[in-house]
Coordinates of all heavy atoms in Angstrom, one line a residue:
M1 N 0.8 -1.2 0.0 CA 0.0 0.0 0.0 C 0.9 1.2 0.0 O 1.8 1.3 0.8 CB -0.9 0.0 1.2 CG -1.8 1.2 1.3 SD -2.9 1.1 2.7 CE -2.0 2.0 3.9
G2 N 0.6 2.2 -0.9 CA 1.4 3.4 -1.0 C 0.6 4.6 -0.7 O -0.6 4.5 -0.6
L3 N 1.3 5.7 -0.6 CA 0.6 7.0 -0.5 C 0.8 7.8 -1.8 O 1.8 7.7 -2.4 CB 1.2 7.8 0.7 CG 1.1 7.2 2.1 CD1 1.8 8.0 3.1 CD2 -0.4 7.1 2.4
L4 N -0.2 8.6 -2.1 CA -0.1 9.4 -3.3 C 0.7 10.7 -2.9 O 0.8 11.1 -1.7 CB -1.5 9.8 -3.7 CG -2.4 8.7 -4.2 CD1 -3.8 9.2 -4.5 CD2 -1.8 8.0 -5.5
P5 N 1.3 11.4 -3.9 CA 2.1 12.6 -3.6 C 1.1 13.6 -2.9 O -0.1 13.7 -3.1 CB 2.5 13.1 -5.0 CG 2.5 11.9 -5.8 CD 1.4 11.0 -5.3
S6 N 1.7 14.4 -2.0 CA 1.0 15.4 -1.2 C 0.0 14.8 -0.3 O -1.0 15.5 0.1 CB 0.4 16.5 -2.1 OG 1.4 17.1 -2.9
T7 N 0.1 13.6 0.1 CA -0.8 13.0 1.1 C 0.1 12.5 2.3 O 1.3 12.4 2.2 CB -1.6 11.8 0.5 OG1 -0.7 10.8 0.1 CG2 -2.4 12.3 -0.7
S8 N -0.6 12.1 3.4 CA 0.1 11.6 4.5 C -0.7 10.5 5.2 O -1.9 10.3 4.9 CB 0.4 12.7 5.5 OG -0.8 13.2 6.0
K9 N -0.1 9.8 6.1 CA -0.7 8.8 6.9 C -0.2 8.8 8.3 O 1.0 9.0 8.5 CB -0.4 7.4 6.2 CG -0.9 6.2 7.0 CD -2.4 6.0 6.9 CE -2.9 4.8 7.6 NZ -4.2 4.8 8.0
I10 N -1.0 8.6 9.3 CA -0.6 8.6 10.7 C -0.5 7.2 11.1 O -1.4 6.4 10.9 CB -1.6 9.4 11.5 CG1 -1.6 10.8 11.1 CG2 -1.3 9.2 13.0 CD1 -2.7 11.7 11.9
F11 N 0.6 6.8 11.8 CA 0.8 5.5 12.3 C 1.1 5.7 13.8 O 2.2 6.0 14.2 CB 2.0 4.8 11.7 CG 1.8 4.5 10.2 CD1 2.3 5.4 9.3 CD2 1.2 3.4 9.8 CE1 2.1 5.2 7.9 CE2 0.9 3.1 8.4 CZ 1.4 4.0 7.5
P12 N 0.1 5.6 14.7 CA 0.3 5.8 16.1 C 1.3 4.8 16.7 O 1.2 3.6 16.4 CB -1.1 5.7 16.7 CG -2.0 5.3 15.7 CD -1.3 5.2 14.4
I13 N 2.1 5.2 17.7 CA 3.0 4.3 18.4 C 2.7 4.6 19.9 O 2.9 5.7 20.4 CB 4.5 4.6 18.1 CG1 4.7 4.4 16.6 CG2 5.4 3.8 18.9 CD1 6.1 5.0 16.1
D14 N 2.3 3.5 20.6 CA 1.9 3.6 22.0 C 3.2 3.6 22.8 O 3.9 2.6 22.9 CB 1.0 2.4 22.4 CG 0.6 2.5 23.8 OD1 0.8 3.5 24.5 OD2 0.0 1.5 24.3
I15 N 3.5 4.8 23.5 CA 4.6 4.9 24.3 C 4.2 5.1 25.8 O 5.0 5.5 26.6 CB 5.6 6.0 23.9 CG1 4.8 7.3 23.9 CG2 6.2 5.8 22.5 CD1 5.8 8.6 23.8
S16 N 2.9 4.8 26.1 CA 2.4 5.0 27.4 C 3.0 4.2 28.5 O 3.0 4.6 29.7 CB 0.9 4.8 27.4 OG 0.6 3.4 27.1
K17 N 3.6 3.1 28.2 CA 4.3 2.3 29.2 C 5.8 2.6 29.4 O 6.4 1.9 30.2 CB 4.0 0.8 28.9 CG 2.6 0.5 29.0 CD 2.3 -1.0 28.8 CE 0.8 -1.2 28.9 NZ 0.3 -2.5 28.4
L18 N 6.3 3.5 28.6 CA 7.7 3.9 28.8 C 7.9 4.7 30.1 O 7.1 5.6 30.4 CB 8.2 4.7 27.6 CG 8.4 4.0 26.3 CD1 8.9 5.0 25.3 CD2 9.5 3.0 26.5
P19 N 8.9 4.4 30.9 CA 9.1 5.2 32.1 C 9.6 6.6 31.7 O 10.2 6.8 30.6 CB 10.2 4.5 32.9 CG 10.8 3.5 31.9 CD 9.8 3.3 30.8
P20 N 9.3 7.6 32.5 CA 9.8 9.0 32.2 C 11.3 9.0 32.0 O 12.1 8.4 32.8 CB 9.4 9.8 33.4 CG 8.3 9.0 34.0 CD 8.6 7.6 33.7
D21 N 11.8 9.6 30.9 CA 13.2 9.7 30.6 C 13.3 10.3 29.2 O 12.3 10.7 28.6 CB 13.8 8.3 30.5 CG 15.3 8.3 30.8 OD1 15.9 9.4 30.7 OD2 15.9 7.2 31.1
K22 N 14.6 10.5 28.8 CA 14.8 11.1 27.4 C 15.2 9.9 26.5 O 16.0 9.0 26.9 CB 15.9 12.1 27.4 CG 15.5 13.4 28.1 CD 16.6 14.4 28.0 CE 16.2 15.7 28.7 NZ 17.2 16.7 28.6
Y23 N 14.6 9.8 25.3 CA 14.8 8.7 24.4 C 15.2 9.2 23.0 O 14.9 10.4 22.7 CB 13.5 7.9 24.3 CG 13.1 7.2 25.5 CD1 12.3 7.9 26.4 CD2 13.5 5.9 25.8 CE1 11.8 7.2 27.6 CE2 13.1 5.3 27.0 CZ 12.3 5.9 27.8 OH 11.8 5.3 29.0
T24 N 15.9 8.4 22.3 CA 16.2 8.6 20.9 C 15.6 7.5 20.1 O 15.5 6.3 20.6 CB 17.7 8.7 20.6 OG1 18.3 7.5 21.0 CG2 18.3 9.9 21.2
A25 N 15.0 7.8 19.0 CA 14.4 6.7 18.2 C 14.7 7.0 16.7 O 15.0 8.1 16.3 CB 12.9 6.8 18.4
T26 N 14.7 5.9 15.9 CA 14.9 6.0 14.5 C 13.6 5.4 13.8 O 13.2 4.3 14.1 CB 16.1 5.2 14.0 OG1 17.3 5.7 14.7 CG2 16.3 5.3 12.5
I27 N 13.1 6.2 13.0 CA 11.9 5.8 12.2 C 12.4 5.5 10.8 O 13.0 6.3 10.2 CB 10.8 6.9 12.2 CG1 10.4 7.2 13.6 CG2 9.6 6.5 11.3 CD1 9.6 8.5 13.8
I28 N 12.1 4.3 10.3 CA 12.5 3.8 9.0 C 11.3 3.5 8.2 O 10.4 2.8 8.6 CB 13.4 2.6 9.1 CG1 14.7 3.0 10.0 CG2 13.9 2.1 7.7 CD1 15.5 1.8 10.3
A29 N 11.3 4.0 6.9 CA 10.2 3.7 6.0 C 10.8 3.3 4.7 O 11.9 3.7 4.3 CB 9.3 4.9 5.8
T30 N 10.1 2.4 4.0 CA 10.5 2.0 2.7 C 9.4 2.2 1.7 O 8.2 2.2 2.0 CB 10.9 0.5 2.6 OG1 9.8 -0.3 3.0 CG2 12.1 0.2 3.5
D31 N 9.8 2.4 0.4 CA 8.7 2.5 -0.6 C 8.7 1.3 -1.5 O 9.3 0.3 -1.2 CB 9.0 3.8 -1.5 CG 10.3 3.7 -2.3 OD1 10.9 2.6 -2.4 OD2 10.7 4.7 -2.8
E32 N 7.8 1.3 -2.4 CA 7.5 0.1 -3.2 C 8.7 -0.3 -4.1 O 8.8 -1.4 -4.6 CB 6.3 0.2 -4.1 CG 6.3 1.4 -5.0 CD 5.8 2.7 -4.4 OE1 5.3 2.7 -3.2 OE2 6.1 3.8 -5.0
E33 N 9.7 0.6 -4.2 CA 10.9 0.3 -5.0 C 12.1 -0.1 -4.0 O 13.2 -0.1 -4.4 CB 11.3 1.5 -5.8 CG 10.3 1.8 -6.9 CD 10.6 3.0 -7.7 OE1 11.7 3.6 -7.5 OE2 9.8 3.4 -8.6
D34 N 11.8 -0.4 -2.8 CA 12.8 -0.8 -1.8 C 13.8 0.3 -1.4 O 14.8 0.0 -0.9 CB 13.5 -2.1 -2.2 CG 12.6 -3.3 -2.2 OD1 11.6 -3.3 -1.4 OD2 12.8 -4.2 -3.0
N35 N 13.4 1.6 -1.7 CA 14.2 2.7 -1.2 C 13.9 2.8 0.3 O 12.7 2.7 0.7 CB 13.9 4.0 -1.9 CG 14.3 3.9 -3.4 OD1 15.4 3.6 -3.7 ND2 13.3 4.1 -4.3
A36 N 14.9 3.1 1.1 CA 14.7 3.3 2.6 C 15.0 4.7 2.9 O 15.9 5.4 2.4 CB 15.7 2.4 3.3
F37 N 14.1 5.2 3.8 CA 14.3 6.6 4.4 C 14.2 6.5 5.9 O 13.5 5.7 6.4 CB 13.1 7.4 3.9 CG 12.9 7.4 2.4 CD1 12.1 6.5 1.7 CD2 13.6 8.3 1.6 CE1 12.0 6.4 0.4 CE2 13.5 8.3 0.2 CZ 12.7 7.4 -0.4
A38 N 15.1 7.3 6.5 CA 15.2 7.2 8.0 C 15.1 8.6 8.6 O 15.6 9.6 8.0 CB 16.4 6.5 8.4
L39 N 14.6 8.7 9.8 CA 14.5 9.9 10.6 C 14.9 9.6 12.0 O 14.3 8.7 12.6 CB 13.1 10.5 10.5 CG 12.8 11.7 11.3 CD1 13.5 12.9 10.7 CD2 11.3 12.0 11.2
N40 N 15.9 10.3 12.5 CA 16.3 10.2 13.9 C 15.5 11.3 14.7 O 15.4 12.4 14.3 CB 17.8 10.4 14.1 CG 18.6 9.3 13.5 OD1 18.2 8.1 13.7 ND2 19.7 9.6 12.9
V41 N 14.9 10.9 15.8 CA 14.1 11.8 16.7 C 14.5 11.6 18.1 O 15.0 10.6 18.5 CB 12.6 11.6 16.5 CG1 12.1 11.9 15.1 CG2 12.2 10.2 16.9
E42 N 14.4 12.7 18.9 CA 14.6 12.7 20.3 C 13.3 13.1 21.0 O 12.6 14.0 20.5 CB 15.7 13.7 20.7 CG 17.1 13.4 20.2 CD 18.1 14.5 20.6 OE1 17.7 15.5 21.2 OE2 19.3 14.3 20.2
L43 N 12.9 12.4 22.0 CA 11.7 12.7 22.7 C 11.9 12.5 24.2 O 12.8 11.8 24.7 CB 10.6 11.8 22.2 CG 10.7 10.3 22.4 CD1 9.5 9.8 23.2 CD2 10.7 9.6 21.1
E44 N 11.1 13.3 24.9 CA 11.2 13.2 26.4 C 9.8 12.8 26.9 O 8.8 13.5 26.6 CB 11.6 14.5 27.0 CG 11.8 14.5 28.5 CD 12.3 15.8 29.0 OE1 12.6 16.8 28.3 OE2 12.5 15.9 30.3
V45 N 9.8 11.7 27.7 CA 8.5 11.3 28.3 C 8.5 11.8 29.7 O 9.5 11.6 30.5 CB 8.5 9.7 28.3 CG1 7.2 9.3 29.0 CG2 8.5 9.2 26.9
K46 N 7.5 12.5 30.1 CA 7.4 13.1 31.4 C 6.1 12.6 32.2 O 5.2 12.1 31.5 CB 7.2 14.7 31.3 CG 8.4 15.3 30.7 CD 8.2 16.8 30.6 CE 9.3 17.5 30.0 NZ 9.1 19.0 29.9
N47 N 6.2 12.6 33.5 CA 5.0 12.3 34.3 C 4.1 13.5 34.3 O 4.5 14.7 34.4 CB 5.4 12.1 35.7 CG 5.9 10.7 36.0 OD1 5.6 9.8 35.2 ND2 6.7 10.5 37.0
D48 N 2.8 13.3 34.1 CA 1.8 14.4 34.1 C 1.1 14.4 35.4 O 0.9 13.5 36.1 CB 0.8 14.3 33.0 CG 1.5 14.7 31.6 OD1 2.5 15.4 31.7 OD2 0.9 14.3 30.6

């Protein structure tokens, strides 16, 4: 399944069970031609 140009899709990731801390994550996506794209992100989980 692919996306058309100028469109987007949301893929929720449940992080509710992670303890409060600072994290780094890498998000990897591939397309139908097996090209890979990656994004490094930093996030901080806090107690509310």
Side-chain angles (χ1 to χ4, degrees):
M1 178 174 95
L3 297 175
L4 297 173
S6 301
T7 63
S8 63
K9 175 73 176 155
I10 295 174
F11 298 93
I13 300 171
D14 182 9
I15 61 170
S16 64
K17 294 183 180 168
L18 286 177
D21 206 343
K22 291 184 179 181
Y23 295 89
T24 58
T26 302
I27 301 169
I28 302 172
T30 59
D31 64 13
E32 57 276 349
E33 296 176 2
D34 292 329
N35 294 305
F37 306 90
L39 175 67
N40 292 320
V41 295
E42 295 179 359
L43 61 123
E44 184 175 359
V45 176
K46 296 181 180 181
N47 279 336
D48 285 339

